[in-house]
Amino acid sequence: MSESVAENGISTPAAETPEQPAPRPAFHRFDATRPDRLPRPHLRSIQMLYENFARSATSSLSAYLRSYVSLNLGGILQISYGEFLERLPACTSIACFGIQPYTGNAILEVNPSLTFPILEILLGGTAKPTQPIQRKLTEIEQSLLENLFRILAHDLSEAWKHLAHLDFALVSVGTEAQFLQAMNLAETVLAVKVEAHLGESAGAINIVLPSTAVKAILRERDRERLSSKTEVPPEHEAQMFQLIQSSRVKLEARLPRQQIQVGELMLLEPGDVLAFDV
């Protein structure tokens, strides 16, 4: 303990400085119910992919509807399919796509705040904002939206080309309740929200893919990158073999605490294997 000298010359114990607590080690929360989450580097690749999709779809939808449409990436979540359905607005419009050559389905949802203005434009209207419409789409309206979903699916395929050749084949168009069994409700999915503006109307377009399919695509991409980096042209292999062919290597093998009879050693032939107790 250190001491301090007061004005009267009497030394007194100095006040002890409280010890600073040791910094807590950094840790990441792990959800055991969702072990198939994507690592951050892969999420950055996915983010760039959907930013390209938003730019492409902006041009495609503006040309199709002959009205200015603006799309921007809103966010990416890794949640269960059941949670995704709970977040959807009532009476929304959903399309189900096959994702060949992979198994599983992709889901594409367009908010009612966008579908009804889009339908009005397709039927010759102006899509000026009115009172919010809360009803299910009729079969005719669902049929009218099929071309819209096919355009979005084409732009999705083009955006994914940088990682994999995916064929988004339209299976059906319907409402939320009709797609409750499109995936297991507990299955982890990659949910992408794209914010859209059509004139004075605004809403969201949500795209869902199974995490298992996305991880399989990214694993294949990583393997292809690794093989392309390690592949050596045949002429380089021949040159390296010629350089090391005349090299001399001294090899010494030691097998401590192992015993073998001289007779057994003399009987060994090329290709024989000795088993030792380790």
Side-chain angles (χ1 to χ4, degrees), residues 7-23:
E7 294 181 355
N8 56 9
I10 301 175
S11 62
T12 58
E16 293 185 355
T17 303
E19 294 183 0
Q20 297 294 328

mmCIF file with all atom_site columns, all heavy atoms in Angstrom, residues 7-23:
data_model
loop_
_atom_site.group_PDB
_atom_site.id
_atom_site.type_symbol
_atom_site.label_atom_id
_atom_site.label_alt_id
_atom_site.label_comp_id
_atom_site.label_asym_id
_atom_site.label_entity_id
_atom_site.label_seq_id
_atom_site.pdbx_PDB_ins_code
_atom_site.Cartn_x
_atom_site.Cartn_y
_atom_site.Cartn_z
_atom_site.occupancy
_atom_site.B_iso_or_equiv
_atom_site.pdbx_formal_charge
_atom_site.auth_seq_id
_atom_site.auth_comp_id
_atom_site.auth_asym_id
_atom_site.auth_atom_id
_atom_site.pdbx_PDB_model_num
ATOM 1   N N   . GLU A 1 7  ? 0.249   17.988 4.846   1.00 0.00 ? 7  GLU A N   1
ATOM 2   C CA  . GLU A 1 7  ? 0.927   19.244 5.137   1.00 0.00 ? 7  GLU A CA  1
ATOM 3   C C   . GLU A 1 7  ? 1.590   19.235 6.496   1.00 0.00 ? 7  GLU A C   1
ATOM 4   O O   . GLU A 1 7  ? 2.605   19.880 6.717   1.00 0.00 ? 7  GLU A O   1
ATOM 5   C CB  . GLU A 1 7  ? -0.073  20.407 5.044   1.00 0.00 ? 7  GLU A CB  1
ATOM 6   C CG  . GLU A 1 7  ? -0.596  20.618 3.621   1.00 0.00 ? 7  GLU A CG  1
ATOM 7   C CD  . GLU A 1 7  ? -1.551  21.784 3.558   1.00 0.00 ? 7  GLU A CD  1
ATOM 8   O OE1 . GLU A 1 7  ? -1.857  22.342 4.633   1.00 0.00 ? 7  GLU A OE1 1
ATOM 9   O OE2 . GLU A 1 7  ? -1.984  22.122 2.444   1.00 0.00 ? 7  GLU A OE2 1
ATOM 10  N N   . ASN A 1 8  ? 1.086   18.517 7.513   1.00 0.00 ? 8  ASN A N   1
ATOM 11  C CA  . ASN A 1 8  ? 1.673   18.494 8.840   1.00 0.00 ? 8  ASN A CA  1
ATOM 12  C C   . ASN A 1 8  ? 2.824   17.504 8.938   1.00 0.00 ? 8  ASN A C   1
ATOM 13  O O   . ASN A 1 8  ? 3.372   17.279 10.008  1.00 0.00 ? 8  ASN A O   1
ATOM 14  C CB  . ASN A 1 8  ? 0.596   18.148 9.889   1.00 0.00 ? 8  ASN A CB  1
ATOM 15  C CG  . ASN A 1 8  ? -0.097  16.830 9.559   1.00 0.00 ? 8  ASN A CG  1
ATOM 16  O OD1 . ASN A 1 8  ? 0.337   16.111 8.662   1.00 0.00 ? 8  ASN A OD1 1
ATOM 17  N ND2 . ASN A 1 8  ? -1.181  16.530 10.285  1.00 0.00 ? 8  ASN A ND2 1
ATOM 18  N N   . GLY A 1 9  ? 3.184   16.893 7.795   1.00 0.00 ? 9  GLY A N   1
ATOM 19  C CA  . GLY A 1 9  ? 4.334   15.993 7.802   1.00 0.00 ? 9  GLY A CA  1
ATOM 20  C C   . GLY A 1 9  ? 4.011   14.583 8.171   1.00 0.00 ? 9  GLY A C   1
ATOM 21  O O   . GLY A 1 9  ? 4.893   13.737 8.186   1.00 0.00 ? 9  GLY A O   1
ATOM 22  N N   . ILE A 1 10 ? 2.792   14.306 8.519   1.00 0.00 ? 10 ILE A N   1
ATOM 23  C CA  . ILE A 1 10 ? 2.400   12.950 8.898   1.00 0.00 ? 10 ILE A CA  1
ATOM 24  C C   . ILE A 1 10 ? 1.982   12.202 7.644   1.00 0.00 ? 10 ILE A C   1
ATOM 25  O O   . ILE A 1 10 ? 1.182   12.692 6.845   1.00 0.00 ? 10 ILE A O   1
ATOM 26  C CB  . ILE A 1 10 ? 1.252   12.974 9.927   1.00 0.00 ? 10 ILE A CB  1
ATOM 27  C CG1 . ILE A 1 10 ? 1.686   13.732 11.177  1.00 0.00 ? 10 ILE A CG1 1
ATOM 28  C CG2 . ILE A 1 10 ? 0.820   11.563 10.279  1.00 0.00 ? 10 ILE A CG2 1
ATOM 29  C CD1 . ILE A 1 10 ? 0.589   13.919 12.193  1.00 0.00 ? 10 ILE A CD1 1
ATOM 30  N N   . SER A 1 11 ? 2.568   11.069 7.504   1.00 0.00 ? 11 SER A N   1
ATOM 31  C CA  . SER A 1 11 ? 2.237   10.259 6.319   1.00 0.00 ? 11 SER A CA  1
ATOM 32  C C   . SER A 1 11 ? 0.968   9.479  6.576   1.00 0.00 ? 11 SER A C   1
ATOM 33  O O   . SER A 1 11 ? 0.766   8.950  7.674   1.00 0.00 ? 11 SER A O   1
ATOM 34  C CB  . SER A 1 11 ? 3.394   9.300  6.001   1.00 0.00 ? 11 SER A CB  1
ATOM 35  O OG  . SER A 1 11 ? 3.593   8.420  7.080   1.00 0.00 ? 11 SER A OG  1
ATOM 36  N N   . THR A 1 12 ? 0.140   9.440  5.582   1.00 0.00 ? 12 THR A N   1
ATOM 37  C CA  . THR A 1 12 ? -1.134  8.708  5.668   1.00 0.00 ? 12 THR A CA  1
ATOM 38  C C   . THR A 1 12 ? -1.248  7.781  4.470   1.00 0.00 ? 12 THR A C   1
ATOM 39  O O   . THR A 1 12 ? -0.704  8.062  3.390   1.00 0.00 ? 12 THR A O   1
ATOM 40  C CB  . THR A 1 12 ? -2.335  9.674  5.672   1.00 0.00 ? 12 THR A CB  1
ATOM 41  O OG1 . THR A 1 12 ? -2.279  10.453 4.473   1.00 0.00 ? 12 THR A OG1 1
ATOM 42  C CG2 . THR A 1 12 ? -2.281  10.589 6.878   1.00 0.00 ? 12 THR A CG2 1
ATOM 43  N N   . PRO A 1 13 ? -1.954  6.687  4.638   1.00 0.00 ? 13 PRO A N   1
ATOM 44  C CA  . PRO A 1 13 ? -2.118  5.767  3.503   1.00 0.00 ? 13 PRO A CA  1
ATOM 45  C C   . PRO A 1 13 ? -2.865  6.443  2.355   1.00 0.00 ? 13 PRO A C   1
ATOM 46  O O   . PRO A 1 13 ? -3.846  7.156  2.573   1.00 0.00 ? 13 PRO A O   1
ATOM 47  C CB  . PRO A 1 13 ? -2.938  4.613  4.082   1.00 0.00 ? 13 PRO A CB  1
ATOM 48  C CG  . PRO A 1 13 ? -2.754  4.719  5.549   1.00 0.00 ? 13 PRO A CG  1
ATOM 49  C CD  . PRO A 1 13 ? -2.569  6.170  5.857   1.00 0.00 ? 13 PRO A CD  1
ATOM 50  N N   . ALA A 1 14 ? -2.339  6.250  1.152   1.00 0.00 ? 14 ALA A N   1
ATOM 51  C CA  . ALA A 1 14 ? -3.003  6.817  -0.031  1.00 0.00 ? 14 ALA A CA  1
ATOM 52  C C   . ALA A 1 14 ? -4.245  5.998  -0.363  1.00 0.00 ? 14 ALA A C   1
ATOM 53  O O   . ALA A 1 14 ? -4.318  4.799  -0.098  1.00 0.00 ? 14 ALA A O   1
ATOM 54  C CB  . ALA A 1 14 ? -2.055  6.806  -1.238  1.00 0.00 ? 14 ALA A CB  1
ATOM 55  N N   . ALA A 1 15 ? -5.231  6.705  -0.925  1.00 0.00 ? 15 ALA A N   1
ATOM 56  C CA  . ALA A 1 15 ? -6.477  6.006  -1.302  1.00 0.00 ? 15 ALA A CA  1
ATOM 57  C C   . ALA A 1 15 ? -6.183  5.002  -2.411  1.00 0.00 ? 15 ALA A C   1
ATOM 58  O O   . ALA A 1 15 ? -5.459  5.296  -3.366  1.00 0.00 ? 15 ALA A O   1
ATOM 59  C CB  . ALA A 1 15 ? -7.521  7.024  -1.768  1.00 0.00 ? 15 ALA A CB  1
ATOM 60  N N   . GLU A 1 16 ? -6.712  3.838  -2.249  1.00 0.00 ? 16 GLU A N   1
ATOM 61  C CA  . GLU A 1 16 ? -6.478  2.800  -3.232  1.00 0.00 ? 16 GLU A CA  1
ATOM 62  C C   . GLU A 1 16 ? -7.315  3.053  -4.490  1.00 0.00 ? 16 GLU A C   1
ATOM 63  O O   . GLU A 1 16 ? -8.478  3.454  -4.405  1.00 0.00 ? 16 GLU A O   1
ATOM 64  C CB  . GLU A 1 16 ? -6.838  1.429  -2.656  1.00 0.00 ? 16 GLU A CB  1
ATOM 65  C CG  . GLU A 1 16 ? -5.918  0.993  -1.539  1.00 0.00 ? 16 GLU A CG  1
ATOM 66  C CD  . GLU A 1 16 ? -6.242  -0.414 -1.089  1.00 0.00 ? 16 GLU A CD  1
ATOM 67  O OE1 . GLU A 1 16 ? -7.237  -0.968 -1.599  1.00 0.00 ? 16 GLU A OE1 1
ATOM 68  O OE2 . GLU A 1 16 ? -5.514  -0.943 -0.246  1.00 0.00 ? 16 GLU A OE2 1
ATOM 69  N N   . THR A 1 17 ? -6.684  2.853  -5.613  1.00 0.00 ? 17 THR A N   1
ATOM 70  C CA  . THR A 1 17 ? -7.393  2.985  -6.885  1.00 0.00 ? 17 THR A CA  1
ATOM 71  C C   . THR A 1 17 ? -8.147  1.698  -7.179  1.00 0.00 ? 17 THR A C   1
ATOM 72  O O   . THR A 1 17 ? -7.535  0.631  -7.185  1.00 0.00 ? 17 THR A O   1
ATOM 73  C CB  . THR A 1 17 ? -6.406  3.263  -8.029  1.00 0.00 ? 17 THR A CB  1
ATOM 74  O OG1 . THR A 1 17 ? -5.654  4.434  -7.711  1.00 0.00 ? 17 THR A OG1 1
ATOM 75  C CG2 . THR A 1 17 ? -7.154  3.460  -9.356  1.00 0.00 ? 17 THR A CG2 1
ATOM 76  N N   . PRO A 1 18 ? -9.448  1.800  -7.360  1.00 0.00 ? 18 PRO A N   1
ATOM 77  C CA  . PRO A 1 18 ? -10.201 0.556  -7.601  1.00 0.00 ? 18 PRO A CA  1
ATOM 78  C C   . PRO A 1 18 ? -9.734  -0.112 -8.893  1.00 0.00 ? 18 PRO A C   1
ATOM 79  O O   . PRO A 1 18 ? -9.438  0.550  -9.887  1.00 0.00 ? 18 PRO A O   1
ATOM 80  C CB  . PRO A 1 18 ? -11.655 1.042  -7.721  1.00 0.00 ? 18 PRO A CB  1
ATOM 81  C CG  . PRO A 1 18 ? -11.547 2.488  -8.082  1.00 0.00 ? 18 PRO A CG  1
ATOM 82  C CD  . PRO A 1 18 ? -10.304 2.993  -7.409  1.00 0.00 ? 18 PRO A CD  1
ATOM 83  N N   . GLU A 1 19 ? -9.624  -1.408 -8.846  1.00 0.00 ? 19 GLU A N   1
ATOM 84  C CA  . GLU A 1 19 ? -9.188  -2.156 -10.005 1.00 0.00 ? 19 GLU A CA  1
ATOM 85  C C   . GLU A 1 19 ? -10.266 -2.124 -11.105 1.00 0.00 ? 19 GLU A C   1
ATOM 86  O O   . GLU A 1 19 ? -11.448 -2.260 -10.827 1.00 0.00 ? 19 GLU A O   1
ATOM 87  C CB  . GLU A 1 19 ? -8.895  -3.615 -9.633  1.00 0.00 ? 19 GLU A CB  1
ATOM 88  C CG  . GLU A 1 19 ? -7.720  -3.763 -8.685  1.00 0.00 ? 19 GLU A CG  1
ATOM 89  C CD  . GLU A 1 19 ? -7.436  -5.221 -8.413  1.00 0.00 ? 19 GLU A CD  1
ATOM 90  O OE1 . GLU A 1 19 ? -8.169  -6.072 -8.984  1.00 0.00 ? 19 GLU A OE1 1
ATOM 91  O OE2 . GLU A 1 19 ? -6.499  -5.504 -7.661  1.00 0.00 ? 19 GLU A OE2 1
ATOM 92  N N   . GLN A 1 20 ? -9.772  -1.905 -12.316 1.00 0.00 ? 20 GLN A N   1
ATOM 93  C CA  . GLN A 1 20 ? -10.699 -1.886 -13.450 1.00 0.00 ? 20 GLN A CA  1
ATOM 94  C C   . GLN A 1 20 ? -11.101 -3.319 -13.811 1.00 0.00 ? 20 GLN A C   1
ATOM 95  O O   . GLN A 1 20 ? -10.246 -4.201 -13.848 1.00 0.00 ? 20 GLN A O   1
ATOM 96  C CB  . GLN A 1 20 ? -10.049 -1.215 -14.670 1.00 0.00 ? 20 GLN A CB  1
ATOM 97  C CG  . GLN A 1 20 ? -9.695  0.248  -14.435 1.00 0.00 ? 20 GLN A CG  1
ATOM 98  C CD  . GLN A 1 20 ? -10.939 1.088  -14.240 1.00 0.00 ? 20 GLN A CD  1
ATOM 99  O OE1 . GLN A 1 20 ? -11.993 0.797  -14.808 1.00 0.00 ? 20 GLN A OE1 1
ATOM 100 N NE2 . GLN A 1 20 ? -10.824 2.136  -13.436 1.00 0.00 ? 20 GLN A NE2 1
ATOM 101 N N   . PRO A 1 21 ? -12.378 -3.539 -14.039 1.00 0.00 ? 21 PRO A N   1
ATOM 102 C CA  . PRO A 1 21 ? -12.788 -4.907 -14.416 1.00 0.00 ? 21 PRO A CA  1
ATOM 103 C C   . PRO A 1 21 ? -12.175 -5.308 -15.752 1.00 0.00 ? 21 PRO A C   1
ATOM 104 O O   . PRO A 1 21 ? -12.007 -4.480 -16.652 1.00 0.00 ? 21 PRO A O   1
ATOM 105 C CB  . PRO A 1 21 ? -14.323 -4.802 -14.511 1.00 0.00 ? 21 PRO A CB  1
ATOM 106 C CG  . PRO A 1 21 ? -14.587 -3.349 -14.766 1.00 0.00 ? 21 PRO A CG  1
ATOM 107 C CD  . PRO A 1 21 ? -13.498 -2.593 -14.039 1.00 0.00 ? 21 PRO A CD  1
ATOM 108 N N   . ALA A 1 22 ? -11.807 -6.552 -15.848 1.00 0.00 ? 22 ALA A N   1
ATOM 109 C CA  . ALA A 1 22 ? -11.215 -7.055 -17.083 1.00 0.00 ? 22 ALA A CA  1
ATOM 110 C C   . ALA A 1 22 ? -12.253 -7.013 -18.196 1.00 0.00 ? 22 ALA A C   1
ATOM 111 O O   . ALA A 1 22 ? -13.431 -7.266 -17.973 1.00 0.00 ? 22 ALA A O   1
ATOM 112 C CB  . ALA A 1 22 ? -10.730 -8.490 -16.881 1.00 0.00 ? 22 ALA A CB  1
ATOM 113 N N   . PRO A 1 23 ? -11.811 -6.622 -19.412 1.00 0.00 ? 23 PRO A N   1
ATOM 114 C CA  . PRO A 1 23 ? -12.778 -6.564 -20.524 1.00 0.00 ? 23 PRO A CA  1
ATOM 115 C C   . PRO A 1 23 ? -13.377 -7.925 -20.828 1.00 0.00 ? 23 PRO A C   1
ATOM 116 O O   . PRO A 1 23 ? -12.682 -8.936 -20.806 1.00 0.00 ? 23 PRO A O   1
ATOM 117 C CB  . PRO A 1 23 ? -11.919 -6.057 -21.701 1.00 0.00 ? 23 PRO A CB  1
ATOM 118 C CG  . PRO A 1 23 ? -10.518 -6.412 -21.328 1.00 0.00 ? 23 PRO A CG  1
ATOM 119 C CD  . PRO A 1 23 ? -10.448 -6.311 -19.838 1.00 0.00 ? 23 PRO A CD  1
#
